[in-house]
Amino acid sequence: MDTEIQYLETRVAALIERVRELESRNGRFAEALSQALKDNAELNYRLEEARSRVGALISRLPCDEEVNS
């Protein structure tokens, strides 16, 4: 009986340690995801700015009719 209890105590302690490890890992993954989402939002913002600038530059180019006149 004592052997079974010791075995169960060992298993429960190992499970508790595993849960703590997984919680820690999950926290790190959550932080990494949050940072990746922020980075993605920043890159999307910069991409839209670049598209806008390129669009403005294209609109300033002379048309074929203006060049041939």
Side-chain angles (χ1 to χ4, degrees):
M1 180 80 171
D2 285 343
T3 305
E4 290 176 16
I5 290 174
Q6 287 177 347
Y7 172 76
L8 290 174
E9 286 176 345
T10 302
R11 293 294 297 150
V12 168
L15 287 171
I16 290 171
E17 180 61 30
R18 183 68 174 149
V19 167
R20 287 182 181 149
E21 177 186 322
L22 291 173
E23 286 174 339
S24 175
R25 186 179 296 179
N26 188 45
R28 290 191 306 272
F29 284 147
E31 289 173 8
L33 175 61
S34 177
Q35 185 61 47
L37 290 172
K38 288 178 187 175
D39 292 345
N40 189 44
E42 174 66 22
L43 290 172
N44 279 330
Y45 175 77
R46 290 172 55 191
L47 179 62
E48 287 304 316
E49 281 188 327
R51 281 184 180 149
S52 177
R53 288 193 308 267
V54 168
L57 289 172
I58 289 172
S59 69
R60 292 175 55 194
L61 291 174
C63 296
D64 284 341
E65 297 166 357
E66 294 174 7
V67 172
N68 293 330
S69 304

